[in-house]
Amino acid sequence: MENQDQTFEVMRACMLAGKIMLQSGAETYRVEDTMSRMASAFGIDKTHSYVTPTGIIFSVEGVGPERTKLVRISDRTTDLRKVAMVNSVSRRITSGEVGLQEACKLLVEIEEANLTYSFIIQILAAAIASGCFTIMFMGSWLDFLPSMAAGGIGFFLVVYFHRIVPVKFFAEFLSSFFIGMISFFFVKFGLGQELDKIIIGSVMPLVPGLLITNAVRDLMAGHLVSGLSKGAEALLTAFAIGSGIAAILSFL
Amino acid sequence: MIYLEQLITSFIASAAFGIIFNAPRESLVKCGISGMVGWIVYFALDTNGFGTIFATLMASFLIAVVSQVFAKAYRTPIIIFSVAGVIPLVPGGLAYDAMRNFVENDYSTALSLAAKASMISGAIAVGLVFSEVINQVIRRSNLGPVK
């Protein structure tokens, strides 16, 4: 009986690790790889996993009857620090430094921890990135400050709206609508030069760059379902941004 | 002079994206470096007439190589460095241009821009995957360094 309990514990740890990684934006193959490595470090060599962006199915052939578990994943963000932390825990497990009990404890700690940079710093980063992108896309330095302002406000709005409205599409649509409006007024009042460059720069923090590249990589690695669903998510975001800007442009 | 400008802005932009994606604090400078290397290669090839898609492919390949070196040296997942590095190459501007042309009812221009944008995102992914494949081949064959 004790061995069966152990199998169950191992599954719990693997699922938790997979869930954290998938929610934080790790690639599909990395999630599957980590889960099977962890299981085999605890002595379970036969595992099967099926990872999609919206859920993980994990099955082990340990002592006793075969067990399968399912975890549903509803919201996804990008949090590379959590990916790195789970990765280092799994490294320590495979090298035998950490036992099962301690691994579970560490993973629960990682899941509950809130390690993001403060919101102010994130907004500042988005603003600075927007300004830099305007220059990188051959905009003039006169447009640096306007696109910083538009990009910072846009990033603030997308987080703020997402808190009020659970539908991601509307948050992205509304905030890119506001970005378009702010940029338009900057140009109209002579504070900015080229509307195009300001909009392109300030929209960049919202562009689903990670999703697009992860989608194509998943497709190439043979994870067809995850690849297509990530692609659909990316397309929807791009459409939200595009139509938000387009709504403004059609008034001009 | 323009290269210096591009170097500095691409470094800052990639590092700033590291903050937005919540990369660990000690890896932000490396995120900036991988972004800077990729962007300057892209920029140099693109402005000298090698074609946008070839430039993107080369840049994303180089970003993946740099990220692999960092990932191996600092024992962190490669995704931390490659994501921040690739962000400047993502065809956000093109996608925006395409959308704008759609709104202005110029469908033929819009479609060709949209096709180009999807080709570029394909090139980014191919560059990343290609370097990963080469890395795995080296690791599996006997030529590479023994683990």
Side-chain angles (χ1 to χ4, degrees), chain A residues 2 32-33 78 84 102 105 108 115 135 144 151 154 169 230 232 247:
Chain A
E2 202 173 304
E32 290 189 349
D33 192 52
T78 306
E102 210 193 330
K105 220 181 82 194
V108 171
L115 305 150
I135 305 300
F144 188 79
F169 183 88
K230 276 182 193 167

Side-chain angles (χ1 to χ4, degrees), chain A residues 25 27 30 78-81 91 117 125 128 132-133 136 141 196 200 210 212-213 216-217 220 242 245-246, chain B residues 5-6 9 12 16-17 19 21-23 25 39 75 78-79 83 88 96 99-100 103 121 124-126 132:
Chain A
E27 314 97 300
R30 184 181 298 285
T78 306
D79 189 340
L80 296 179
R81 189 178 305 192
R91 248 179 230 279
Y117 294 94
I128 291 169
C132 289
F133 273 114
M136 283 156 75
W141 282 98
D196 274 355
I200 290 174
L210 173 63
I212 293 173
T213 44
V216 185
R217 285 174 81 182
M220 284 182 182
I245 298 288
Chain B
E5 195 178 282
Q6 298 285 330
T9 48
I12 295 173
F17 258 93
I19 293 178
F21 288 154
N22 201 26
R25 194 161 286 141
W39 178 257
R75 301 198 139 249
I78 181 174
I79 186 177
V83 162
Y96 160 75
M99 209 63 203
R100 183 173 186 162
V103 175
S121 26
I124 294 173
V126 171
E132 217 157 274

Side-chain angles (χ1 to χ4, degrees), chain B residues 39-126:
Chain B
W39 178 257
I40 212 66
V41 168
Y42 167 82
F43 188 75
L45 289 176
D46 191 40
T47 46
N48 289 314
F50 278 92
T52 315
I53 289 168
F54 178 74
T56 309
L57 188 68
M58 279 299 147
S60 71
F61 180 75
L62 207 67
I63 288 169
V65 171
V66 171
S67 313
Q68 258 160 16
V69 171
F70 283 149
K72 200 157 275 176
Y74 299 100
R75 301 198 139 249
T76 34
I78 181 174
I79 186 177
I80 290 179
F81 309 112
S82 62
V83 162
V86 148
I87 283 293
L89 303 175
V90 169
L94 262 181
Y96 160 75
D97 255 359
M99 209 63 203
R100 183 173 186 162
N101 278 296
F102 272 122
V103 175
E104 289 164 350
N105 287 329
D106 188 355
Y107 289 109
S108 53
T109 317
L111 272 180
S112 70
L113 285 172
K116 200 175 175 194
S118 58
M119 283 295 284
I120 288 176
S121 26
I124 294 173
V126 171

